[in-house]
Amino acid sequence: MNATANAISPDDFQKFQEYFYRKTGIRFEDSKRYFVDKRLLERIAATASKDFRNYFAMLRFEASGAEMQELINLMTVNETYFFREDYQFECLVESILPEIVARKKHDGPIRIWTIPSSSGEEAYTIAMCLLERWAAIDQWDVEILSSDIDTNILVQARAGLYSARSVQHVPENYLGKYFRRTAKGFQLDDTLRNAVEFSRVNLQDPAEVRPYQNFDVIFCRNLLIYFDDQSRKRAAETFFDALRPGGFMLLGHSESMSRMSALFKVRKFPEAIVYQRPGGGWV
Ligand SMILES: C[S@@+](CC[C@H](N)C(=O)[O-])C[C@H]1O[C@@H](n2cnc3c(N)ncnc32)[C@H](O)[C@@H]1O
Protein backbone atom coordinates (compact mmCIF):
# COMPACT_ATOMS: atom_id res chain seq x y z
CA MET A 1 0.00 0.00 0.00
CA ASN A 2 1.33 3.49 -0.76
CA ALA A 3 1.52 6.36 1.71
CA THR A 4 -1.70 8.04 0.48
CA ALA A 5 -3.73 4.86 0.74
CA ASN A 6 -2.44 4.55 4.30
CA ALA A 7 -3.09 8.12 5.36
CA ILE A 8 -5.62 8.98 8.06
CA SER A 9 -8.23 11.36 6.61
CA PRO A 10 -9.52 14.38 8.60
CA ASP A 11 -12.79 12.48 9.04
CA ASP A 12 -11.04 9.39 10.37
CA PHE A 13 -8.99 11.54 12.71
CA GLN A 14 -12.13 13.13 14.09
CA LYS A 15 -13.81 9.77 14.64
CA PHE A 16 -10.77 8.49 16.45
CA GLN A 17 -10.42 11.70 18.45
CA GLU A 18 -14.01 11.39 19.74
CA TYR A 19 -13.67 7.72 20.56
CA PHE A 20 -10.35 8.08 22.38
CA TYR A 21 -11.72 11.04 24.32
CA ARG A 22 -14.77 9.09 25.45
CA LYS A 23 -12.59 6.22 26.61
CA THR A 24 -9.76 8.11 28.32
CA GLY A 25 -10.76 11.75 28.84
CA ILE A 26 -7.81 12.77 26.63
CA ARG A 27 -8.70 14.96 23.66
CA PHE A 28 -6.10 15.24 20.93
CA GLU A 29 -6.28 18.64 19.27
CA ASP A 30 -5.58 19.02 15.55
CA SER A 31 -2.05 20.16 16.41
CA LYS A 32 -1.40 16.56 17.57
CA ARG A 33 -2.28 15.07 14.16
CA TYR A 34 1.26 13.99 13.36
CA PHE A 35 1.73 12.28 16.74
CA VAL A 36 -1.64 10.48 16.54
CA ASP A 37 -1.47 9.52 12.84
CA LYS A 38 2.00 8.04 13.25
CA ARG A 39 0.85 5.74 16.04
CA LEU A 40 -2.39 4.78 14.34
CA LEU A 41 -0.52 3.83 11.17
CA GLU A 42 1.91 1.81 13.26
CA ARG A 43 -0.98 -0.20 14.80
CA ILE A 44 -2.81 -0.57 11.47
CA ALA A 45 0.36 -2.19 10.10
CA ALA A 46 1.03 -4.28 13.24
CA THR A 47 -2.48 -5.74 13.22
CA ALA A 48 -2.41 -6.29 9.44
CA SER A 49 -5.61 -4.27 9.12
CA LYS A 50 -6.63 -3.29 5.58
CA ASP A 51 -7.14 0.38 6.38
CA PHE A 52 -8.26 2.74 9.15
CA ARG A 53 -11.92 1.70 8.84
CA ASN A 54 -11.04 -1.91 9.28
CA TYR A 55 -8.75 -1.16 12.22
CA PHE A 56 -11.24 1.17 13.91
CA ALA A 57 -14.00 -1.46 13.75
CA MET A 58 -11.68 -4.00 15.37
CA LEU A 59 -10.65 -1.47 18.02
CA ARG A 60 -14.25 -0.82 19.04
CA PHE A 61 -15.64 -4.30 18.94
CA GLU A 62 -12.78 -6.46 20.19
CA ALA A 63 -14.17 -7.99 23.38
CA SER A 64 -10.83 -8.27 25.22
CA GLY A 65 -9.96 -4.59 24.72
CA ALA A 66 -6.35 -5.68 24.07
CA GLU A 67 -5.85 -3.48 21.01
CA MET A 68 -7.30 -0.46 22.79
CA GLN A 69 -4.80 -1.04 25.58
CA GLU A 70 -1.94 -1.28 23.04
CA LEU A 71 -3.00 2.03 21.58
CA ILE A 72 -3.38 3.71 24.96
CA ASN A 73 0.13 2.56 25.85
CA LEU A 74 1.43 4.21 22.67
CA MET A 75 -0.52 7.45 23.04
CA THR A 76 0.24 8.32 26.66
CA VAL A 77 2.97 10.77 27.67
CA ASN A 78 4.87 9.22 30.57
CA GLU A 79 7.36 11.99 31.41
CA THR A 80 8.24 11.93 35.13
CA TYR A 81 11.25 11.80 37.51
CA PHE A 82 12.09 11.41 41.18
CA PHE A 83 11.53 14.42 43.46
CA ARG A 84 9.59 16.31 40.78
CA GLU A 85 8.17 19.42 42.50
CA ASP A 86 9.80 18.46 45.78
CA TYR A 87 8.04 21.26 47.72
CA GLN A 88 4.86 19.19 47.59
CA PHE A 89 6.55 16.26 49.34
CA GLU A 90 7.88 18.74 51.92
CA CYS A 91 4.31 19.91 52.36
CA LEU A 92 3.16 16.32 52.86
CA VAL A 93 5.56 15.63 55.73
CA GLU A 94 5.72 19.12 57.29
CA SER A 95 2.05 20.18 57.11
CA ILE A 96 -0.39 17.60 55.80
CA LEU A 97 0.54 14.47 57.72
CA PRO A 98 0.88 16.25 61.08
CA GLU A 99 -2.64 17.61 60.57
CA ILE A 100 -3.99 14.20 59.60
CA VAL A 101 -2.52 12.36 62.57
CA ALA A 102 -3.60 15.08 65.00
CA ARG A 103 -7.21 14.51 63.95
CA LYS A 104 -7.22 10.77 63.41
CA LYS A 105 -9.40 9.06 65.95
CA HIS A 106 -8.43 5.50 65.07
CA ASP A 107 -5.15 3.75 64.50
CA GLY A 108 -5.97 2.44 61.01
CA PRO A 109 -3.55 3.09 58.17
CA ILE A 110 -2.95 6.44 56.52
CA ARG A 111 -3.90 5.90 52.88
CA ILE A 112 -2.18 7.71 50.01
CA TRP A 113 -3.12 7.33 46.33
CA THR A 114 -0.97 8.65 43.54
CA ILE A 115 -2.54 8.66 40.09
CA PRO A 116 -1.11 8.75 37.47
CA SER A 117 1.97 6.85 38.59
CA SER A 118 3.71 6.64 35.23
CA SER A 119 6.92 4.65 35.89
CA GLY A 120 6.60 4.94 39.66
CA GLU A 121 9.03 7.73 40.56
CA GLU A 122 6.38 9.82 42.33
CA ALA A 123 5.09 7.00 44.55
CA TYR A 124 8.61 5.87 45.45
CA THR A 125 9.60 9.48 46.20
CA ILE A 126 6.71 9.64 48.66
CA ALA A 127 7.86 6.39 50.31
CA MET A 128 11.42 7.73 50.59
CA CYS A 129 10.25 11.06 52.02
CA LEU A 130 8.15 9.32 54.65
CA LEU A 131 11.06 7.11 55.69
CA GLU A 132 13.65 9.88 55.68
CA ARG A 133 11.80 13.05 56.62
CA TRP A 134 8.76 12.13 58.71
CA ALA A 135 9.67 11.47 62.33
CA ALA A 136 6.32 9.78 63.14
CA ILE A 137 6.69 7.08 60.48
CA ASP A 138 7.28 4.33 63.08
CA GLN A 139 3.98 5.09 64.83
CA TRP A 140 1.74 4.76 61.76
CA ASP A 141 0.93 2.25 59.09
CA VAL A 142 0.94 3.89 55.68
CA GLU A 143 -0.52 2.40 52.51
CA ILE A 144 0.68 3.84 49.20
CA LEU A 145 -1.34 2.89 46.13
CA SER A 146 -0.34 4.06 42.71
CA SER A 147 -2.27 3.72 39.44
CA ASP A 148 -1.97 4.44 35.75
CA ILE A 149 -3.91 3.61 32.60
CA ASP A 150 -0.77 2.45 30.74
CA THR A 151 0.02 -1.24 31.37
CA ASN A 152 3.55 -1.09 29.92
CA ILE A 153 4.58 1.76 32.18
CA LEU A 154 3.23 -0.15 35.20
CA VAL A 155 5.54 -3.06 34.38
CA GLN A 156 8.44 -0.58 34.52
CA ALA A 157 7.12 0.93 37.75
CA ARG A 158 7.05 -2.46 39.46
CA ALA A 159 10.55 -3.34 38.17
CA GLY A 160 12.03 -0.17 39.70
CA LEU A 161 14.95 0.19 37.26
CA TYR A 162 15.77 3.81 36.41
CA SER A 163 18.00 5.90 34.17
CA ALA A 164 20.54 8.43 35.44
CA ARG A 165 18.24 11.19 34.17
CA SER A 166 15.34 9.89 36.22
CA VAL A 167 17.31 9.85 39.49
CA GLN A 168 19.22 13.10 38.95
CA HIS A 169 17.31 14.95 41.71
CA VAL A 170 17.53 12.14 44.26
CA PRO A 171 19.68 13.37 47.19
CA GLU A 172 23.07 11.63 47.13
CA ASN A 173 22.58 9.90 50.49
CA TYR A 174 19.18 8.47 49.44
CA LEU A 175 20.71 7.28 46.19
CA GLY A 176 23.34 5.31 48.10
CA LYS A 177 20.79 3.95 50.54
CA TYR A 178 17.89 2.95 48.28
CA PHE A 179 19.46 2.22 44.88
CA ARG A 180 22.03 -0.17 43.51
CA ARG A 181 24.02 0.88 40.43
CA THR A 182 23.90 -1.83 37.78
CA ALA A 183 24.99 -2.02 34.15
CA LYS A 184 21.37 -1.36 33.17
CA GLY A 185 20.74 1.61 35.46
CA PHE A 186 19.76 2.41 39.03
CA GLN A 187 17.88 -0.48 40.65
CA LEU A 188 15.54 0.49 43.47
CA ASP A 189 15.83 -1.76 46.51
CA ASP A 190 13.08 -4.21 47.47
CA THR A 191 12.01 -2.41 50.65
CA LEU A 192 10.80 0.54 48.60
CA ARG A 193 9.46 -1.60 45.76
CA ASN A 194 7.32 -3.49 48.25
CA ALA A 195 6.13 -0.26 49.85
CA VAL A 196 3.98 0.65 46.85
CA GLU A 197 1.08 -1.27 45.31
CA PHE A 198 0.60 -0.53 41.61
CA SER A 199 -2.62 -1.04 39.66
CA ARG A 200 -4.10 -0.29 36.27
CA VAL A 201 -6.87 2.31 36.56
CA ASN A 202 -8.53 4.53 33.99
CA LEU A 203 -9.46 7.64 35.94
CA GLN A 204 -12.32 8.35 33.55
CA ASP A 205 -14.02 4.99 34.04
CA PRO A 206 -16.48 5.13 36.97
CA ALA A 207 -16.47 1.34 37.44
CA GLU A 208 -12.66 1.25 37.66
CA VAL A 209 -12.32 4.07 40.19
CA ARG A 210 -15.19 2.99 42.43
CA PRO A 211 -13.10 0.58 44.58
CA TYR A 212 -10.61 3.40 45.35
CA GLN A 213 -11.98 4.90 48.56
CA ASN A 214 -11.02 6.25 51.99
CA PHE A 215 -7.83 8.07 51.08
CA ASP A 216 -6.26 10.65 53.36
CA VAL A 217 -4.14 12.12 50.57
CA ILE A 218 -4.33 11.96 46.77
CA PHE A 219 -1.62 13.14 44.39
CA CYS A 220 -2.83 13.74 40.84
CA ARG A 221 -0.03 15.60 39.11
CA ASN A 222 0.39 16.30 35.43
CA LEU A 223 -2.63 14.41 34.15
CA LEU A 224 -5.38 17.05 34.18
CA ILE A 225 -3.37 19.05 31.63
CA TYR A 226 -4.28 16.37 29.06
CA PHE A 227 -8.01 16.54 29.87
CA ASP A 228 -10.64 19.04 28.73
CA ASP A 229 -12.93 20.92 31.16
CA GLN A 230 -15.54 18.19 31.23
CA SER A 231 -13.12 15.35 32.01
CA ARG A 232 -11.39 17.54 34.60
CA LYS A 233 -14.69 18.13 36.34
CA ARG A 234 -15.42 14.40 36.33
CA ALA A 235 -11.95 13.74 37.77
CA ALA A 236 -12.56 16.28 40.55
CA GLU A 237 -15.78 14.50 41.52
CA THR A 238 -14.00 11.14 41.52
CA PHE A 239 -11.34 12.51 43.85
CA PHE A 240 -13.92 14.06 46.14
CA ASP A 241 -15.59 10.65 46.54
CA ALA A 242 -12.29 8.82 46.95
CA LEU A 243 -11.08 11.09 49.78
CA ARG A 244 -12.08 10.79 53.40
CA PRO A 245 -13.78 13.93 54.73
CA GLY A 246 -10.90 16.30 55.53
CA GLY A 247 -8.60 14.49 53.09
CA PHE A 248 -6.07 16.37 50.94
CA MET A 249 -5.46 16.59 47.22
CA LEU A 250 -2.31 17.78 45.45
CA LEU A 251 -2.16 18.75 41.77
CA GLY A 252 0.70 19.57 39.41
CA HIS A 253 2.11 23.12 39.53
CA SER A 254 0.26 24.25 36.39
CA GLU A 255 -3.03 22.66 37.44
CA SER A 256 -5.73 24.15 39.63
CA MET A 257 -9.01 22.96 41.05
CA SER A 258 -10.61 26.39 41.04
CA ARG A 259 -11.98 26.23 37.49
CA MET A 260 -12.97 22.60 37.87
CA SER A 261 -14.86 22.32 41.06
CA ALA A 262 -16.12 24.26 44.04
CA LEU A 263 -16.25 21.07 46.10
CA PHE A 264 -12.82 21.58 47.66
CA LYS A 265 -11.44 24.08 50.16
CA VAL A 266 -8.17 25.78 49.21
CA ARG A 267 -5.50 25.41 51.90
CA LYS A 268 -2.39 27.59 51.72
CA PHE A 269 0.37 25.82 53.61
CA PRO A 270 3.85 27.40 53.85
CA GLU A 271 5.20 24.89 51.31
CA ALA A 272 2.33 24.58 48.80
CA ILE A 273 -1.29 25.18 47.91
CA VAL A 274 -3.38 22.08 48.56
CA TYR A 275 -7.07 21.22 48.14
CA GLN A 276 -9.10 19.71 50.95
CA ARG A 277 -12.38 17.86 51.04
CA PRO A 278 -14.43 19.68 53.69
CA GLY A 279 -15.54 17.89 56.85
CA GLY A 280 -13.57 15.42 58.88
CA GLY A 281 -14.66 15.22 62.42
CA TRP A 282 -12.94 12.20 61.88
CA VAL A 283 -13.13 8.80 60.66
C1 LIG B 1 3.12 13.00 32.51
S1 LIG B 1 2.69 11.51 33.34
C2 LIG B 1 2.59 12.12 35.01
C3 LIG B 1 3.34 11.24 36.00
C4 LIG B 1 3.52 11.80 37.42
N1 LIG B 1 2.28 11.97 38.11
C5 LIG B 1 4.29 13.10 37.41
O1 LIG B 1 3.68 14.16 37.63
O2 LIG B 1 5.50 13.08 37.20
C6 LIG B 1 1.02 11.28 32.80
C7 LIG B 1 0.49 9.84 32.96
O3 LIG B 1 -0.95 9.87 32.89
C8 LIG B 1 -1.37 8.60 32.48
N2 LIG B 1 -2.80 8.68 32.06
C9 LIG B 1 -3.32 9.27 30.96
N3 LIG B 1 -4.66 9.16 30.92
C10 LIG B 1 -5.02 8.50 32.06
C11 LIG B 1 -6.26 8.08 32.59
N4 LIG B 1 -7.43 8.34 31.96
N5 LIG B 1 -6.28 7.41 33.77
C12 LIG B 1 -5.10 7.14 34.41
N6 LIG B 1 -3.89 7.50 33.96
C13 LIG B 1 -3.84 8.18 32.79
C14 LIG B 1 -0.39 8.27 31.38
O4 LIG B 1 -0.34 6.90 31.09
C15 LIG B 1 0.92 8.83 31.93
O5 LIG B 1 1.71 7.82 32.52
Side-chain angles (χ1 to χ4, degrees):
M1 230 185 295
N2 63 35
T4 325
N6 250 342
I8 311 291
S9 73
D11 244 25
D12 294 342
F13 178 77
Q14 207 187 338
K15 275 190 205 137
F16 175 74
Q17 188 189 39
E18 280 305 314
Y19 182 71
F20 200 78
Y21 170 70
R22 241 182 326 108
K23 289 290 177 190
T24 65
I26 299 172
R27 186 181 288 287
F28 291 116
E29 298 308 333
D30 288 355
S31 58
K32 289 279 174 349
R33 278 283 316 249
Y34 177 75
F35 174 90
V36 173
D37 285 12
K38 190 165 175 284
R39 283 156 183 80
L40 278 175
L41 291 173
E42 198 178 311
R43 291 312 302 164
I44 290 171
T47 55
S49 304
K50 201 159 65 79
D51 51 20
F52 173 81
R53 236 185 99 134
N54 197 250
Y55 175 74
F56 194 48
M58 188 261 281
L59 189 66
R60 281 179 305 162
F61 298 118
E62 188 187 50
S64 71
E67 183 52 33
M68 186 60 193
Q69 186 63 58
E70 283 288 341
L71 203 56
I72 287 173
N73 292 354
L74 279 178
M75 296 286 184
T76 48
V77 178
N78 304 121
E79 161 70 11
T80 187
Y81 48 88
F82 283 92
F83 289 87
R84 183 177 198 178
E85 292 158 41
D86 189 19
Y87 61 93
Q88 295 194 321
F89 306 114
E90 283 294 336
C91 186
L92 177 69
V93 293
E94 296 297 331
S95 297
I96 296 175
L97 288 173
E99 195 171 303
I100 289 173
V101 299
R103 282 190 300 170
K104 241 185 183 359
K105 293 204 175 105
H106 66 85
D107 57 2
I110 294 168
R111 284 168 51 79
I112 302 175
W113 188 23
T114 118
I115 176 168
S117 64
S118 187
S119 32
E121 286 90 327
E122 185 174 288
Y124 292 136
T125 300
I126 292 171
M128 258 185 271
C129 287
L130 295 186
L131 287 168
E132 295 293 329
R133 300 177 181 173
W134 190 41
I137 184 68
D138 292 337
Q139 293 151 42
W140 294 93
D141 286 336
V142 182
E143 291 176 359
I144 306 174
L145 276 69
S146 193
S147 311
D148 201 285
I149 197 172
D150 180 335
T151 50
N152 286 347
I153 210 70
L154 287 167
V155 171
Q156 285 185 41
R158 291 187 186 102
L161 181 65
Y162 294 102
S163 66
R165 190 189 153 277
S166 189
V167 301
Q168 65 182 325
H169 299 297
V170 178
E172 203 51 44
N173 53 331
Y174 299 4
L175 203 59
K177 194 164 167 184
Y178 295 108
F179 293 83
R180 197 164 33 87
R181 279 168 212 252
T182 73
K184 290 185 181 156
F186 291 79
Q187 177 62 59
L188 193 71
D189 85 357
D190 286 349
T191 319
L192 279 194
R193 282 176 60 209
N194 295 333
V196 180
E197 191 183 315
F198 290 99
S199 58
R200 193 263 181 207
V201 172
N202 176 358
L203 185 61
Q204 292 293 327
D205 186 330
E208 287 186 26
V209 290
R210 202 165 297 128
Y212 291 79
Q213 294 287 324
N214 296 324
F215 290 101
D216 297 290
V217 185
I218 298 177
F219 282 78
C220 179
R221 308 191 314 163
N222 304 303
L223 170 57
L224 302 178
I225 41 172
Y226 301 102
F227 289 171
D228 70 353
D229 282 352
Q230 211 185 332
S231 4
R232 280 188 199 128
K233 192 163 176 295
R234 210 167 22 233
E237 286 160 7
T238 296
F239 292 135
F240 185 88
D241 292 340
L243 280 170
R244 288 179 167 143
F248 295 94
M249 163 99 240
L250 295 97
L251 302 178
H253 77 282
S254 61
E255 297 161 327
S256 146
M257 200 61 101
S258 51
R259 268 186 57 220
M260 283 158 51
S261 163
L263 292 170
F264 293 86
K265 260 192 337 199
V266 178
R267 295 286 310 271
K268 290 186 178 142
F269 288 116
E271 306 83 9
I273 291 178
V274 173
Y275 299 92
Q276 185 174 28
R277 175 175 165 163
W282 192 302
V283 300

